[in-house]
């Protein structure tokens, strides 16, 4: 089972550049989310989606866009990269909220903005 | 909104010693509680979860956690730590009707030989 796949694993961007972090899952999960992980701050929710065509903001959404055109894919777009967006990004997926809200995580994307 | 506090940023224990990692949560209703482990350079792996029922839950790798509603706590324990347990541990909380899972800041565990 592939589970949750994130690409790329590493990326260096210049300030002002844009890019898309890819996330795909093959478990037919309705719920997908993006987190950023910074030292001493744990994981903070950026955006999430409860199904195709439905997205919402999390705790730290500024500077990021998402869309969900299919159940499998949930890309995260950085519109104009800033050094403050240097972080490790994790994508996660799970069944709809309820008894089975266990989240499965990708391996992460380490992003550096210079 | 719910929140999670892990009071210990870093803990060092000797191999074979017992371990307890603390987690306190803030939420009005019954929360869904999780412990995840992250090895260096890896994603997060679920250790155990609590949804309802027995307040002592068993997880993988010999870990267990106890939900104490009166103390708003969900502490993780292991009777005898192995060197391979060295990692970062995250407590998380989610509500039934809310899609927003909140994580604590994490506790880094170092295991001394």
């Amino acid at each position: 089972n592939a589970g949750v796949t994130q690409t790329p694993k590493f990326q260096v961007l210049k300030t002002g550049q844009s890019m898309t972090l890819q996330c795909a899952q093959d478990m037919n999960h309705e719920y997908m989310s993006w987190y950023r992980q910074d030292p001493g701050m744990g994981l903070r929710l950026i955006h999430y989606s409860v199904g195709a065509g439905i997205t919402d903001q999390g705790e730290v959404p500024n500077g990021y866009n998402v869309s969900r055109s299919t159940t499998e894919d949930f890309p995260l777009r950085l519109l104009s990269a800033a050094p403050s967006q240097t972080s490790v990004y994790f994508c996660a997926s799970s069944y709809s909220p309820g008894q089975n809200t266990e989240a499965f995580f990708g391996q992460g994307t380490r992003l550096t903005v210079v | 909104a719910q929140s999670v506090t892990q009071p210990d940023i870093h803990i060092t224990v000797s191999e074979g010693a017992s371990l307890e990692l603390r987690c306190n949560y803030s939420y009005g209703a019954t929360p869904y509680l999780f412990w995840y482990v992250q090895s260096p350079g890896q994603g997060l792996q679920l250790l155990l979860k609590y949804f309802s029922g027995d307040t002592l839950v068993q997880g993988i790798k010999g870990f267990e956690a106890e939900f104490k509603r009166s103390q708003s706590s969900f502490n993780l324990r292991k009777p005898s730590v192995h060197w391979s347990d060295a990692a970062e541990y995250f407590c998380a909380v989610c509500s039934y009707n809310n899609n927003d899972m909140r994580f604590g800041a994490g506790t880094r565990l170092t295991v001394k030989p």
Side-chain angles (χ1 to χ4, degrees):
Chain A
N1 287 340
V4 179
T5 303
Q6 290 183 236
T7 56
K9 288 188 168 54
F10 302 93
Q11 183 71 49
V12 178
L13 287 179
K14 293 182 179 178
T15 297
Q17 285 185 318
S18 62
M19 79 159 294
T20 299
L21 279 63
Q22 301 292 343
C23 175
Q25 53 92 8
D26 61 358
M27 297 173 281
N28 203 32
H29 286 165
E30 290 294 326
Y31 179 67
M32 296 185 74
S33 53
W34 277 101
Y35 292 86
R36 60 177 290 173
Q37 183 181 25
D38 302 292
M41 304 192 74
L43 280 76
R44 292 180 292 168
L45 183 65
I46 304 171
H47 285 285
Y48 64 91
S49 169
V50 299
I54 307 169
T55 64
D56 206 346
Q57 297 180 351
E59 188 182 356
V60 288
N62 292 340
Y64 307 95
N65 270 0
V66 292
S67 60
R68 184 95 178 270
S69 56
T70 67
T71 299
E72 295 78 20
D73 300 299
F74 190 43
L76 177 72
R77 296 183 187 84
L78 279 70
L79 309 172
S80 177
S84 61
Q85 294 178 303
T86 293
S87 187
V88 181
Y89 292 85
F90 287 98
C91 178
S93 74
S94 63
Y95 291 109
S96 295
Q99 286 295 319
N100 217 351
T101 53
E102 173 184 347
F104 294 83
F105 286 81
Q107 293 295 299
T109 296
R110 185 174 294 274
L111 175 67
T112 302
V113 182
V114 298
Chain B
Q2 58 265 32
S3 64
V4 179
T5 301
Q6 292 180 246
D8 304 306
I9 296 172
H10 184 205
I11 284 182
T12 300
V13 300
S14 298
E15 190 168 16
S18 64
L19 171 70
E20 182 169 27
L21 302 182
R22 295 183 291 166
C23 173
N24 295 98
Y25 67 90
S26 172
Y27 186 63
T30 300
Y32 290 174
L33 295 158
F34 306 82
W35 274 99
Y36 285 86
V37 61
Q38 184 183 32
S39 298
Q42 301 296 312
L44 278 72
Q45 180 185 21
L46 181 69
L47 283 175
L48 47 78
K49 59 192 176 187
Y50 171 78
F51 290 159
S52 64
D54 192 347
T55 56
L56 184 64
V57 293
Q58 303 297 322
I60 62 172
K61 305 185 181 187
F63 286 92
E64 66 178 25
E66 186 170 13
F67 170 59
K68 292 185 177 179
R69 184 189 302 275
S70 62
Q71 298 177 19
S72 297
S73 69
F74 188 57
N75 294 349
L76 182 72
R77 301 194 292 251
K78 186 169 184 179
S80 178
V81 170
H82 187 263
W83 64 266
S84 61
D85 293 324
E88 188 147 21
Y89 292 80
F90 293 94
C91 182
V93 62
C94 184
S95 68
Y96 180 89
N97 293 322
N98 191 321
N99 300 303
D100 189 351
M101 179 178 282
R102 294 297 175 110
F103 285 81
T107 298
R108 185 161 62 91
L109 174 65
T110 298
V111 181
K112 294 191 302 184

